[in-house]
Structure formats: structure tokens, C-alpha cells
Amino acid sequence: MNESTHLAAVLRPVRAGNAFEETVERLLQAIKLGMVTEKLPPERELAARLGISRVTLREAIRALQEAGYLDVRRGRYGGAFVTYVPPPPSQGDLRRAVADMGTDDLADALTFRMAVECGAAQVLAAAGIDGERRDTLRRRLREVNSAGPDDYRRLDTAFHLAIAELTGSSLLAAACADARLRVTDLLNAIPVLQRNIQHAAAQHEAIVAAVLAGDPDAARRAVAEHLEGTAALLRGFLA
Amino acid sequence: MNESTHLAAVLRPVRAGNAFEETVERLLQAIKLGMVTEKLPPERELAARLGISRVTLREAIRALQEAGYLDVRRGRYGGAFVTYVPPPPSQGDLRRAVADMGTDDLADALTFRMAVECGAAQVLAAAGIDGERRDTLRRRLREVNSAGPDDYRRLDTAFHLAIAELTGSSLLAAACADARLRVTDLLNAIPVLQRNIQHAAAQHEAIVAAVLAGDPDAARRAVAEHLEGTAALLRGFLA
DNA sequence: CATCAATGGTCTGACACTGGCCCAATAGAA
DNA sequence: TTCTATTGGGCCAGTGTCAGACCATTGATG
């Protein structure tokens, strides 16, 4: 194994696609994750946030509009309104989603998610968090644990992301968001069963308890167990 | 805290800069990390790897040539030869590097690195590795632990990256490479003391032992301790 | 009803980036 | 010496992207 082994990690493609494609992807994920429930920010603001021109953003919005995800209205109090509602889960969708990304990429994504989420929980537990942030974490926990099937995925995402964000590292938050994005389609394709929610709730409790107790090992273990459960659920529906 | 809190993580800039800038950055990092010690791959191949046009790549190479990092020669057996040699560490360089990135970004980078590297070690330990990969890991360990001050940083990078790569997740490998890149300039600015090398060597041994033993908690703890040591070293030189 | 502020819609000139093609130089091979 | 494969160097036409300015529409407000 010579030096070129590591080169792959550094000399990888500089950009994933053109600006238009990446923008469509981003917006689609924001919508599917339920992070934008009403309407998108104004074009000018959104373009600035995404670091692209308004023209490119508008092309992406138009594509999503034509695909039925958005309803764009002009005039004051207008905007790009989200019309997307998650489709009912089906095994067919799951298999298609897996086929779309390939089994290698699936393993990659699950491994990546395991690493960054465990890392985030561990860091947060090790650093300790102050009163206000403790409240935030507890609130997220309450929200996801009291969610109904419709809101569950969205609030689960919010909970997991909150852990990364509370570390104060935007790089870590971005990595966790990215990891979650990569499995969104898969999770959306499997049904949300009350039994699974309750099982996950106990694990969420354990994660929060470990973080609040400042126990990095316990936090790591709790997250690992939780994500293992999710992965097992996926495998179950695929088998 | 409404839904918009999480938006920051998803509606972040789509691209970090233009293709030229990103390419210069990539190549510079590959050079500084010592991953390219002799010469770069041919322009045509490199452009394909980086997913950019040859024109853009050539501009980046010319910039690095003018900055004294490369020596470009034409004709068969020509190419872009690396002329860069790491400058002697100095406190001034360190302070400048810190000032360049800002203290917030520094904390962000250190936190990010802690999370992803701990996550990688944990995942690798949990998954277990076969004979061939065990040998790879052991070889990397031997190399870094027997390195002299000149080669130390390069082989240390190789060792840390090997852990991420052995998980088989290219996303994770990329994240770890990215994390390392963000602290390269800082590490290059602090002197490599024999005492520090020996201290780190013991920690590297502990990491490998935990991974080979399949003990995720121990692996996590060993990496955390190691990176804490590095962070403390940085703080010490800054104080 | 007239006005206004916020928002999407459109256009233009400039620059960045691409893909492809051919030229120039170089060192080894014949 | 001559040939040849490999590599960097240069150029061009086409497309993507940008920044900014201006137009069009809308619903609230006075």
C-alpha cells in the first residue's frame, strides 16, 4: 500500500454536480426532512444563504414546482409554499430507494451516520452543557417522544440534529445533517409503527440521560444501540 | 426555538468558492499533508479525478507553481513536481494560523475532529477487522511510531486516516481527512519534540490495541485522550 | 380607493468553466 | 539519429453562473 491509497480521500471530486443540481437536492432534502413546512424564505435571502445567484435558485425552485413539491405565488405575502406531503410508506419504495443508492452506498451512509452521531453525543456529554441548552435538549426529547406517526420523522430528525448543534460545532452539525439526509428516503419508506416509536423513545431517553450526566461512554453506547436498531429495522424490511 | 433553527445546517452554502479556489485548496492540502511527495498525477487524469476541466486545474497548478510549491516540467516523464518542504515551526506561524481561521473556527475544527475520529475508531472496533486489515493498521502504527521528526506529521496523518479508511466508509474517510486538513497548518506550526512523539506513540498503541480487541468504548476513549493531548499541546503553545 | 412594501419575474452584460482539439517539448526506444 | 509515447501549453466556441437593475403582482393599510 503506497501513498496513493490515501489520495482518494483528498483528490476526490471538487464539486458534486453543477449549482443547479446541488440546489435542487438541498431544497428537496429540506422539504422531505420537514424543516420547511410552510414556505421557503424569499428568493433573495435564500440565494444568499445558499451562496448562489437568484437565477440559479429560481431554476431549482421551478424544477421543484414542476415536480409538485412547491406552489409559487407572487406579490407581497407570496413565496414558494410547500405542498409536499410524505407518501405512505411501502416496501416497494424502500427497495427502489435502496436500489437507487446501491448497497455499497447504503452501508457507507449507515456507517458514516453511526460514526458522526456517536461522536456528537460523546463530545456533547464530555463537554457538558449549561442550563439553557439542557432545557433545549429536554424539550426536543419531549417533542419527539410525544409525536404522532405523522410528525414522528420530522421531530426525530430535529432531536438528533439538536445533539450535534448543541456541541456548538457547525461542521459537526452539517456532517450529522448530511448523514441524516442520506438515509431520509429509506426511513420515509418504512412505516412508523407505534411499537417502534416506543422502543426508540426509551433509547432517546437513555441518550439524553447519558449526555446530561456527562458520561461520554454511555452516550456513545446509547446512540450506537439506537442506530443499530434503526439499521436492523431497515434490514428487516428488506429481507 | 422554531423550525428555522435547524435550517442553518441544511440551507448552508452550496459551494465553498469557485472551482479554481477549491482546487488550489485541495492540492495545497494534499501537498502539505505529504500525500503527494514526488509529483502530481498527469493533468488529464488529475482533472478527471477532481471533476474539473483541465483549464481550471492548470490555473490552480500555475498558482501553486508561482507560490513555490510546485516545479512543472514538460515532455514525457515531466509533470508537476512537489518542491514544498515544511517550514521550521515557529510560534509566530502558529499565532498567524490561528488568527487566520479565528478562534471560533478553531474550536469548531477541534470539536469536529474529536467527533469524527472517535466515531471512526469506535465503528472500526465494533465492526471488527480481518487479518489483512489488521496488518495494515499495525504497519501504519509501526511506521508512525518509528518516524523521525521530519516524517512524523505525514505518517501521523496516514495513521489517523487509515483508521477511517479501514471502516470502508468513504464518507467517513472524507470527513476525517477534512477534519485533519483543518488543523494541518496549526500542527505544522508547532515543533515536533521527541518527547511528544513518544507520548503520542503510547496513545497510538492504545488506540490500535482497543480496535484490534474489538472494544469500541476503549477505542473511543483512547482516541479522545490522544486528541485532547494534541489540543492541549496547541493551547500550551498559544498561552 | 390609492398607496406601499414585499415578493416573484425578467433581462443584460460580464465572467467562469467546460470539452475538445491541436501544438510543443522531452526522454527513452528503435 | 530518428521515432514515438507521454506530458504540459494554448486556444476557442459553447454553456453555466453571477450581480445588478428593473418590471409585475399582490394583499394589507391608511
Side-chain angles (χ1 to χ4, degrees):
Chain A
M1 190 183 291
N2 56 29
E3 66 176 20
S4 71
T5 304
H6 299 287
L7 273 181
V10 179
L11 299 188
R12 62 189 192 281
V14 167
R15 18 196 66 177
N18 59 35
F20 165 74
E21 289 168 346
E22 287 188 60
T23 304
V24 168
E25 199 60 25
R26 276 288 181 75
L27 295 180
L28 199 48
Q29 299 293 11
I31 293 169
K32 284 189 176 175
L33 287 185
M35 302 187 134
V36 184
T37 51
E38 193 195 1
K39 68 170 183 176
L40 297 180
E43 288 179 356
R44 292 165 176 82
E45 180 193 331
L46 189 50
R49 278 212 207 194
L50 295 175
I52 57 175
S53 74
R54 238 187 101 201
V55 180
T56 304
L57 172 61
R58 284 175 50 63
E59 280 175 14
I61 288 178
R62 193 156 56 85
L64 292 176
Q65 182 185 19
E66 286 169 1
Y69 291 95
L70 295 172
D71 176 30
V72 180
R73 292 203 290 271
R74 301 180 64 167
R76 194 173 185 177
Y77 305 99
F81 294 82
V82 177
T83 58
Y84 172 80
V85 284
S90 84
Q91 211 173 40
D93 286 346
L94 178 58
R95 290 188 188 284
R96 190 169 37 71
V98 170
D100 280 351
M101 73 187 305
T103 47
D104 283 356
D105 288 348
L106 173 58
D108 193 347
L110 291 176
T111 301
F112 181 54
R113 188 182 176 211
M114 176 67 79
V116 294
E117 292 220 8
C118 286
Q122 161 217 321
V123 163
L124 189 59
I129 51 180
D130 59 24
E132 189 186 345
R133 286 159 191 260
R134 295 173 88 90
D135 291 343
T136 300
L137 186 57
R138 288 204 190 92
R139 184 170 60 254
R140 294 280 183 219
L141 176 63
R142 274 201 315 273
E143 288 169 355
V144 63
N145 281 358
S146 64
D150 286 351
D151 268 355
Y152 181 70
R153 294 285 180 221
R154 187 172 68 80
L155 294 171
D156 183 62
T157 302
F159 171 74
H160 282 263
L161 267 190
I163 293 175
E165 283 174 355
L166 287 173
T167 65
S169 166
S170 54
L171 290 169
L172 188 49
C176 285
D178 186 41
R180 176 78 188 210
L181 293 182
R182 290 175 190 277
V183 295
T184 311
D185 283 343
L186 304 178
L187 293 182
N188 281 347
I190 64 179
V192 177
L193 303 177
Q194 198 59 41
R195 196 178 114 258
N196 298 135
I197 292 185
Q198 285 166 3
H199 194 207
Q203 296 176 330
H204 287 164
E205 298 272 6
I207 294 170
V208 171
V211 167
L212 293 181
D215 185 338
D217 275 329
R220 184 205 73 72
R221 242 177 281 126
V223 172
E225 189 183 337
H226 179 47
L227 297 187
E228 271 303 340
T230 303
L233 200 60
L234 270 176
R235 280 191 292 271
F237 276 95
L238 280 172
Chain B
M1 190 184 290
N2 56 28
E3 67 176 20
S4 70
T5 304
H6 298 289
L7 274 180
V10 179
L11 299 187
R12 62 187 192 281
V14 166
R15 20 196 63 178
N18 59 38
F20 165 74
E21 290 168 344
E22 288 189 61
T23 304
V24 169
E25 199 60 25
R26 274 291 178 75
L27 295 180
L28 200 46
Q29 300 292 11
I31 294 169
K32 283 188 176 176
L33 288 185
M35 301 187 136
V36 184
T37 51
E38 192 194 1
K39 68 170 183 175
L40 297 180
E43 288 180 357
R44 290 165 177 82
E45 179 195 332
L46 190 49
R49 277 212 206 194
L50 295 174
I52 58 175
S53 74
R54 242 188 96 202
V55 178
T56 304
L57 173 61
R58 297 190 78 263
E59 282 176 14
I61 288 179
R62 192 157 55 83
L64 292 176
Q65 183 184 17
E66 286 169 1
Y69 291 95
L70 294 172
D71 175 30
V72 181
R73 293 203 288 272
R74 300 179 65 168
R76 191 172 186 177
Y77 305 97
F81 295 81
V82 177
T83 58
Y84 171 81
V85 283
S90 85
Q91 214 174 37
D93 286 347
L94 178 57
R95 291 187 189 284
R96 191 167 39 71
V98 170
D100 280 352
M101 73 187 308
T103 46
D104 283 356
D105 287 349
L106 173 57
D108 193 347
L110 291 176
T111 300
F112 180 55
R113 188 180 176 214
M114 176 68 78
V116 293
E117 291 219 8
C118 286
Q122 161 217 322
V123 164
L124 189 60
I129 51 180
D130 59 24
E132 189 185 345
R133 287 161 191 259
R134 297 173 87 90
D135 291 343
T136 300
L137 187 57
R138 287 204 190 93
R139 184 169 61 253
R140 293 281 183 220
L141 176 63
R142 273 202 315 276
E143 287 169 355
V144 64
N145 280 358
S146 64
D150 286 351
D151 268 356
Y152 182 69
R153 294 285 180 219
R154 187 173 69 80
L155 294 171
D156 183 61
T157 301
F159 170 74
H160 282 261
L161 268 189
I163 292 175
E165 283 175 354
L166 287 173
T167 65
S169 166
S170 53
L171 289 170
L172 189 49
C176 285
D178 186 41
R180 175 79 188 209
L181 294 183
R182 290 175 190 276
V183 295
T184 310
D185 283 342
L186 304 177
L187 293 182
N188 282 346
I190 64 180
V192 177
L193 302 177
Q194 198 58 42
R195 196 177 113 259
N196 298 135
I197 292 185
Q198 285 167 4
H199 194 205
Q203 296 176 330
H204 288 163
E205 297 273 6
I207 294 170
V208 171
V211 167
L212 292 181
D215 185 339
D217 276 328
R220 183 205 72 73
R221 243 178 280 126
V223 172
E225 189 183 339
H226 180 47
L227 297 186
E228 272 303 339
T230 303
L233 200 61
L234 270 176
R235 280 192 292 272
F237 277 95
L238 280 172

